[in-house]
Amino acid sequence: MTNKKKATIKDIANVLNISPAAVSKALHDDSRISTKTKEAVKKVAKDLNYQPNHLASALRKGKSHLVGVIVPRTNSNFFSSVIQNIEEVLNKEGYNIIITQSNESYKKECNNIDTLLFTQVDGIIASMANETIDLEYYKKVKSKGIPLILFDRGENDLNVDYIGINDYDSSHMIVEHLVKQGCKRIAHIGGYKHTRIFNNRIRGYVDALKKYDLPLDNELLIESSLTIKDGREKMLQLLSLKNRPDAVYVAGDYAALGALQILNEQHINMPKDMALVGFGNEPFTSMVTPTISSINQHSAEIGKLAAKTFLEHAKKATIKQSLNKIILDAELIVRDSSSIIKK
Amino acid sequence: MTNKKKATIKDIANVLNISPAAVSKALHDDSRISTKTKEAVKKVAKDLNYQPNHLASALRKGKSHLVGVIVPRTNSNFFSSVIQNIEEVLNKEGYNIIITQSNESYKKECNNIDTLLFTQVDGIIASMANETIDLEYYKKVKSKGIPLILFDRGENDLNVDYIGINDYDSSHMIVEHLVKQGCKRIAHIGGYKHTRIFNNRIRGYVDALKKYDLPLDNELLIESSLTIKDGREKMLQLLSLKNRPDAVYVAGDYAALGALQILNEQHINMPKDMALVGFGNEPFTSMVTPTISSINQHSAEIGKLAAKTFLEHAKKATIKQSLNKIILDAELIVRDSSSIIKK
């Protein structure tokens, strides 16, 4: 750290009484500059402790060394941990990242894509907004030959690299765990059906119920925006049923937290009278009372793999043809909210 | 939402068999284009449902309509709530934001500033990294005539707009509250002294102790990085003292959470044997046991005011001369961790 003003190409030019363009050419070993001038320029550059501006240099080479990241929101531990890990891997390779959030809005996501294209990013790593059905903007990224890597929330139709966890199997693990705890009426507060990951979780839930000969009751399967507020509302809806469930599997931890608040407010014993399982392993799941069982989505690994996939593209002159489709196995972390049978 | 491919200037040019440049000039009412051609171009543009690319148009006018935001990290409710509110205000006025995080690193913050300047942002709204002492990079932003607004963590020396809360008074409020609860040895796990806001909190703590004739004991005033991990370590340090404190005021909620974990693990009764107050009102403070008293930093208002301050600059042709220095009064939210005297 120094407070001294940085030397510029202009400073070097002034010392030698030549043009800044000549200095720049000399520093890049341009054949139009004499060896004598090159040596003089390099000596002055060293004397003035001149540091080249890497971004300007990158731009000349047609690379911004910027990677754009689009997430539904930053205030989720899952997304901020993915971002953190993308950043760690890319920083080491000389890339900076810029982050935009869609707030689950399709329109905002389109704006974000335009913004990132405008800033000349070398690649985009994205997780889609809940609202997004139309893939036009993502196709625009592809058509420009800019590497696009999706994580967590992606779409098969786009045919791009994808990193995520096995959502279908995660639901199976959760239902199996609840069945072993003795639960017989298992409800699912799920995400939007049109979003692939939530659809997979719903399919996993339905198939697991069939496997264990449990009733598939339409009133126990509820679509939700998965906010805390909506988790509260959907839990109230389940409690108002004539034939209440004895377990609730919520497809997101924030909505699970809302459900937990309602259960606590109504003094319903967890897990004895209502077992609860969330999804995402947000840090608060181990802080609340009772602690909430949840699925660990391996955010760190997802972030690292997404960054590495981008780097594979960046190192190739042309877009690489084979795609990475990486599906990680998730892990169920059992906590108090669903531990009916003590070991 | 439509899947139909958007019409481009090239499409209009093809229909009329003229050059794209001529179409662009016609759409901008350039005097070099005949009235007849202009009318033909505008009719075809309407027929094809042509939508101009606003970003490209903004760039021609020398405005990107992008605002860069720099935060120490996104996975803090305070920072993500500020970002959310900046975004809401600026989106309405046609601006998009791009977010970068410093991870408390000076070097990364410098890279972020370079990145944002490179992407031609119209302004920067920032909260400084813990490590930042050298203001060279922020001065570079100022020297380029780009509006710079600091929030929460700023520096008087920079002489730019600033929005924050009254940290000095907040410490006073906390110490006064603890004194009223009967506490006599109040410790402070503070942030880095060189960071203005943390310095103000330390000064407020010291002056409040004097006001209430409490001992200012050097072993009770500890500098910390304010992470969960460091909060744990500093709490252990306080517990190892021969003459233990009976209250701890921690300058950040994450470190307060670490302190709470240690106190719970060691079965120390809160608030009777140790009262605890945090800072920032992170959502988890009302989820843990016991709930943690904390300072509400008015993140929503700070975000809105920062965005409005930027807009004041943007609406003026030249940088406005008078500065906004907005210091909001904070609010102490008393919870179980420091409620010794029940009302």
Side-chain angles (χ1 to χ4, degrees):
Chain A
M1 282 188 253
T2 166
N3 262 314
K4 234 173 68 188
K5 200 170 161 291
K6 271 192 175 175
T8 64
I9 285 191
K10 221 171 152 186
D11 297 330
I12 303 171
N14 286 343
V15 170
L16 294 166
N17 204 18
I18 59 175
S19 73
V23 172
S24 174
K25 285 196 184 83
L27 288 171
H28 290 92
D29 279 322
D30 192 299
S31 58
R32 286 165 288 182
I33 304 293
S34 73
T35 312
K36 207 183 132 193
T37 306
K38 277 181 197 166
E39 278 167 7
V41 165
K42 283 174 187 173
K43 193 186 169 301
V44 173
K46 207 182 158 195
D47 290 348
L48 296 180
N49 192 24
Y50 167 77
Q51 303 285 341
N53 181 332
H54 291 294
L55 277 170
S57 144
L59 193 57
R60 273 195 306 273
K61 292 174 197 148
K63 293 281 172 199
S64 64
H65 277 240
L66 286 180
V67 173
V69 177
I70 306 174
V71 290
R73 58 186 192 283
T74 57
N75 69 340
S76 128
N77 191 65
F78 173 71
F79 289 118
S80 64
S81 163
V82 171
I83 292 171
Q84 192 69 31
N85 282 278
I86 290 173
E87 203 158 28
E88 274 169 24
V89 173
L90 291 185
N91 281 175
K92 274 183 207 145
E93 302 289 324
Y95 287 89
N96 282 314
I97 69 164
I98 52 184
I99 307 156
T100 62
Q101 52 185 0
S102 65
N103 300 317
E104 306 289 8
S105 147
Y106 169 72
K107 199 172 152 245
K108 192 124 199 342
E109 192 167 79
C110 295
N111 276 338
N112 290 342
I113 292 174
D114 271 342
T115 297
L116 293 176
L117 293 178
F118 169 80
T119 58
Q120 311 186 52
V121 290
D122 291 345
I124 292 179
I125 300 175
S127 192
M128 286 181 173
N130 263 337
E131 268 185 33
T132 301
I133 298 173
D134 188 330
L135 304 175
E136 181 197 355
Y137 271 74
Y138 283 107
K139 285 179 182 157
K140 190 159 96 178
V141 176
K142 270 189 78 177
S143 72
K144 284 181 185 288
I146 292 167
L148 171 63
I149 295 108
L150 296 179
F151 69 91
D152 190 44
R153 304 206 206 145
E155 278 301 333
N156 275 331
D157 295 352
L158 265 175
N159 211 24
V160 293
D161 296 293
Y162 175 81
I163 330 279
I165 59 154
N166 195 322
D167 290 284
Y168 180 85
D169 283 359
S170 300
S171 284
H172 255 278
M173 276 163 60
I174 291 169
V175 171
E176 187 165 67
H177 158 68
L178 290 170
V179 167
K180 281 185 184 161
Q181 301 295 312
C183 301
K184 295 199 177 346
R185 266 180 77 72
I186 302 169
H188 180 43
I189 299 176
Y192 291 122
K193 284 177 196 160
H194 70 253
T195 307
R196 196 169 59 100
I197 59 164
F198 296 124
N199 196 282
N200 286 344
R201 289 179 204 172
I202 292 167
R203 286 196 306 110
Y205 160 78
V206 169
D207 287 354
L209 288 188
K210 280 184 203 156
K211 185 179 164 191
Y212 291 100
D213 288 323
L214 290 178
L216 170 60
D217 194 335
N218 276 333
E219 62 184 13
L220 296 184
L221 174 54
I222 304 178
E223 199 168 8
S224 163
S225 63
L226 297 180
T227 59
I228 296 181
K229 189 164 165 276
D230 206 52
R232 292 178 62 94
E233 281 167 22
K234 296 306 188 279
M235 191 68 235
L236 282 173
Q237 190 181 322
L238 286 172
L239 290 178
S240 72
L241 293 177
K242 219 174 149 188
N243 193 359
R244 278 187 185 178
D246 55 10
V248 187
Y249 151 36
V250 190
D253 279 337
Y254 283 88
L257 177 64
L260 175 132
Q261 289 171 349
I262 291 292
L263 292 169
N264 276 336
E265 286 165 21
Q266 305 218 354
H267 305 290
I268 292 170
N269 186 301
M270 281 174 278
K272 216 171 60 65
D273 297 329
M274 189 77 75
L276 179 70
V277 178
F279 206 109
N281 202 29
E282 290 285 332
F284 63 74
T285 53
S286 57
M287 296 175 186
V288 291
T289 307
T291 54
I292 305 175
S293 302
S294 194
I295 288 281
N296 176 6
Q297 287 187 91
H298 302 301
S299 52
E301 208 174 342
I302 289 177
K304 285 194 177 76
L305 286 168
K308 283 175 187 165
T309 303
F310 163 76
L311 291 170
E312 283 177 37
H313 285 287
K315 278 166 191 163
K316 297 220 161 63
T318 54
I319 281 271
K320 77 183 184 69
Q321 290 306 313
S322 65
L323 293 176
N324 282 344
K325 296 270 180 193
I326 306 173
I327 308 295
L328 304 170
D329 282 333
E331 173 195 12
L332 175 63
I333 298 168
V334 177
R335 298 199 178 91
D336 293 347
S337 70
S338 71
S339 300
I340 300 173
I341 301 166
K342 303 283 176 198
K343 280 167 196 159
Chain B
M1 282 191 253
T2 163
N3 262 315
K4 232 173 70 190
K5 203 171 161 289
K6 272 189 175 172
T8 64
I9 285 191
K10 221 172 151 184
D11 297 329
I12 303 171
N14 285 343
V15 170
L16 294 166
N17 205 16
I18 59 175
S19 74
V23 173
S24 174
K25 287 197 184 81
L27 289 171
H28 289 92
D29 279 322
D30 192 301
S31 59
R32 285 165 289 182
I33 305 293
S34 73
T35 311
K36 205 182 134 196
T37 306
K38 277 182 197 165
E39 279 168 6
V41 165
K42 283 175 188 173
K43 192 186 171 302
V44 173
K46 207 181 157 194
D47 291 347
L48 295 181
N49 192 25
Y50 167 77
Q51 302 286 341
N53 182 333
H54 291 295
L55 278 170
S57 145
L59 193 58
R60 273 195 305 274
K61 291 173 199 150
K63 292 280 172 200
S64 64
H65 277 240
L66 286 180
V67 173
V69 177
I70 305 176
V71 290
R73 58 184 191 285
T74 56
N75 68 339
S76 129
N77 192 64
F78 173 72
F79 289 118
S80 65
S81 163
V82 171
I83 291 171
Q84 192 68 31
N85 283 278
I86 289 174
E87 202 158 29
E88 273 169 23
V89 173
L90 291 185
N91 282 175
K92 274 184 207 143
E93 301 290 323
Y95 287 89
N96 282 314
I97 69 165
I98 52 185
I99 307 156
T100 62
Q101 52 184 1
S102 65
N103 299 317
E104 306 288 8
S105 147
Y106 169 72
K107 198 173 152 246
K108 191 124 201 338
E109 192 167 81
C110 295
N111 275 340
N112 290 343
I113 291 173
D114 271 341
T115 296
L116 293 176
L117 293 177
F118 169 79
T119 58
Q120 310 188 52
V121 290
D122 290 346
I124 292 178
I125 300 175
S127 192
M128 285 181 177
N130 262 337
E131 268 185 33
T132 302
I133 298 171
D134 188 330
L135 303 175
E136 181 197 353
Y137 270 74
Y138 283 108
K139 284 178 183 157
K140 189 158 93 178
V141 176
K142 270 187 77 177
S143 72
K144 284 181 185 288
I146 293 168
L148 172 63
I149 296 107
L150 295 179
F151 70 92
D152 190 44
R153 304 205 205 147
E155 278 302 331
N156 276 331
D157 295 352
L158 264 175
N159 210 24
V160 294
D161 297 293
Y162 174 81
I163 330 280
I165 59 154
N166 196 323
D167 291 283
Y168 180 86
D169 283 359
S170 299
S171 284
H172 256 277
M173 278 164 60
I174 291 168
V175 171
E176 188 165 66
H177 158 69
L178 290 170
V179 167
K180 283 187 183 158
Q181 302 294 312
C183 301
K184 294 198 177 347
R185 268 180 76 72
I186 302 170
H188 180 43
I189 298 177
Y192 291 122
K193 284 176 195 160
H194 69 253
T195 307
R196 195 168 62 100
I197 58 164
F198 296 123
N199 197 283
N200 286 343
R201 289 180 203 172
I202 293 166
R203 286 194 308 107
Y205 159 78
V206 169
D207 287 355
L209 289 187
K210 280 185 202 154
K211 187 179 163 192
Y212 292 101
D213 288 324
L214 289 179
L216 171 58
D217 194 336
N218 276 333
E219 61 183 15
L220 296 184
L221 175 54
I222 304 178
E223 198 169 8
S224 162
S225 64
L226 297 179
T227 58
I228 296 181
K229 189 165 164 274
D230 206 53
R232 292 178 62 94
E233 281 167 21
K234 297 305 188 280
M235 191 67 234
L236 282 174
Q237 189 180 323
L238 287 172
L239 290 178
S240 72
L241 293 178
K242 220 175 145 186
N243 193 359
R244 278 187 184 178
D246 55 10
V248 186
Y249 151 36
V250 190
D253 279 337
Y254 283 88
L257 176 64
L260 175 132
Q261 289 171 350
I262 292 290
L263 292 169
N264 275 336
E265 286 165 21
Q266 305 218 355
H267 305 290
I268 293 170
N269 186 301
M270 282 174 278
K272 215 171 62 65
D273 297 328
M274 188 78 75
L276 179 72
V277 178
F279 206 109
N281 201 29
E282 290 285 332
F284 63 75
T285 53
S286 58
M287 294 176 189
V288 291
T289 307
T291 54
I292 305 174
S293 301
S294 195
I295 288 280
N296 176 5
Q297 287 187 90
H298 302 301
S299 52
E301 208 173 342
I302 288 178
K304 285 194 176 76
L305 286 167
K308 282 175 187 163
T309 303
F310 163 77
L311 291 170
E312 283 178 38
H313 285 287
K315 278 166 191 163
K316 297 221 161 62
T318 54
I319 281 270
K320 75 183 187 67
Q321 290 305 313
S322 65
L323 293 176
N324 282 343
K325 295 270 180 193
I326 306 173
I327 308 293
L328 304 170
D329 283 332
E331 173 195 12
L332 175 64
I333 298 168
V334 177
R335 299 199 178 92
D336 293 347
S337 69
S338 71
S339 300
I340 301 174
I341 300 166
K342 303 282 176 197
K343 277 166 199 159

